[in-house]
Amino acid sequence: MSKKVKMIFPVPMSEATRPMVESQLPAGFRRPDIEVEFVGAGRVMTLADSYYDMAIMEMAVIEAGMRAEAEGFDAVCINTVSDSGLAALRARLSIPVLGPGQSAFHVAAMLGHKFSVLTMWKRWFPLYRKTISEYGLASRLASIRAIDVRPDTEALLSGKEDVVFAKLEAEALRAIEEDGADVIVLGSTTMHQSHAWLAGRLPVPVLNPGVVAYKLCELFLDLGLVQSRVAYPAPEQFKDEAFSFAGGRVAS
């Protein structure tokens, strides 16, 4: 029997953006027995450039994911390295919930002694510091490095490859040579278009976090694994109506 995975992109997706987001998982990465559905979250675009925006994105992802089980999905994969809504959805749902940050950081710690996060701009640094601290991986972090290019949630990296890819490669080499990184983790699922370029040029493993999280979803489904109810106790009562507010608008 086939399984269904709900892939939650943390902001709304336009018809132009959807193909670029879905291209994270080309045909060769998908299995015929697992159906993947990409959905956008929330009602307004956010770049997660502040703690205020992070809270909006958290609510949007939770709202997009909390009915996944009732909709017939067998797992949820959050498609943002911030892991927005991860803990809340693990408590709300009894199906596996995976996030790219936690997945990629732990796999990176398996592949080397230290890893570096390679990202677009410094405004995202608080996201990584928060999750890496929560996951107890601070001692495994070599550095967080950014190329200081404002991210584009609509075009992603399309049209900027010549400039952005070279900057990412140069910054990754500094992380390896100066910071002691054994592994590079891309700091956003929106950076997936650069993965093949970097993986073919850098002397260390390069992790594409959205793909790592999705593949762990497959593993969890194959092994029948789900988050611990001791670590993520279910609420005594569902209060889903509290999430009628998301993306900056109160439902009437």
Side-chain angles (χ1 to χ4, degrees):
M1 184 178 296
S2 64
K3 302 285 186 179
K4 291 178 62 179
V5 175
K6 190 172 196 177
M7 202 86 159
I8 303 176
F9 195 59
V11 294
M13 283 192 295
S14 68
E15 290 307 308
T17 303
R18 177 175 291 278
M20 289 184 284
V21 173
E22 293 184 348
S23 69
Q24 290 177 72
L25 294 177
F29 282 86
R30 302 193 188 200
R31 286 170 27 181
D33 61 328
I34 297 181
E35 178 186 344
V36 184
E37 182 176 326
F38 282 83
V39 299
R43 301 177 182 89
V44 297
M45 196 64 65
T46 172
L47 290 177
D49 60 356
S50 66
Y51 287 107
Y52 171 81
D53 270 25
M54 290 179 209
I56 292 174
M57 198 160 69
E58 183 102 356
M59 289 189 295
V61 171
I62 294 169
E63 186 178 61
M66 63 187 177
R67 285 180 288 275
E69 198 168 358
E71 294 166 345
F73 288 92
D74 300 284
V76 168
C77 188
I78 298 167
N79 198 221
T80 169
V81 178
S82 65
D83 289 348
S84 298
L86 177 65
L89 287 177
R90 283 182 167 176
R92 172 62 178 80
L93 303 174
S94 59
I95 57 177
V97 182
L98 280 296
Q102 187 179 58
S103 300
F105 297 154
H106 279 88
V107 170
M110 295 167 62
L111 295 174
H113 299 300
K114 286 185 176 290
F115 64 90
S116 284
V117 178
L118 180 65
T119 192
M120 297 295 287
W121 62 344
K122 292 181 179 178
R123 279 180 172 264
W124 282 345
F125 282 18
L127 294 173
Y128 313 123
R129 292 185 180 124
K130 176 180 181 294
T131 52
I132 288 170
S133 175
E134 289 177 353
Y135 303 150
L137 293 172
S139 65
R140 309 297 295 275
L141 179 68
S143 62
I144 306 172
R145 283 188 168 266
I147 60 172
D148 289 327
V149 173
R150 181 182 175 84
D152 185 340
T153 53
E154 284 294 320
L156 304 188
L157 300 184
S158 298
K160 311 178 188 70
E161 292 91 343
D162 290 347
V163 174
V164 170
F165 287 12
K167 287 187 174 182
L168 289 171
E169 181 183 354
E171 207 61 36
L173 286 171
R174 292 187 187 99
I176 296 164
E177 295 166 2
E178 299 174 19
D179 307 332
D182 304 311
V183 182
I184 297 294
V185 178
L186 298 184
S188 174
T189 59
T190 62
M191 296 168 63
H192 70 89
Q193 292 154 309
S194 68
H195 177 260
W197 168 280
L198 294 170
R201 287 166 172 78
L202 297 177
V204 300
V206 181
L207 296 184
N208 191 357
V211 172
V212 173
Y214 171 71
K215 285 298 181 180
L216 282 177
C217 275
E218 290 185 347
L219 177 66
F220 275 42
L221 290 173
D222 288 345
L223 298 180
L225 296 174
V226 70
Q227 57 270 5
S228 168
R229 273 288 171 248
V230 175
Y232 301 96
E236 291 185 351
Q237 181 180 356
F238 292 150
K239 307 173 187 69
D240 293 352
E241 65 277 6
F243 291 92
S244 59
F245 169 84
R249 186 175 70 185
V250 178
S252 58

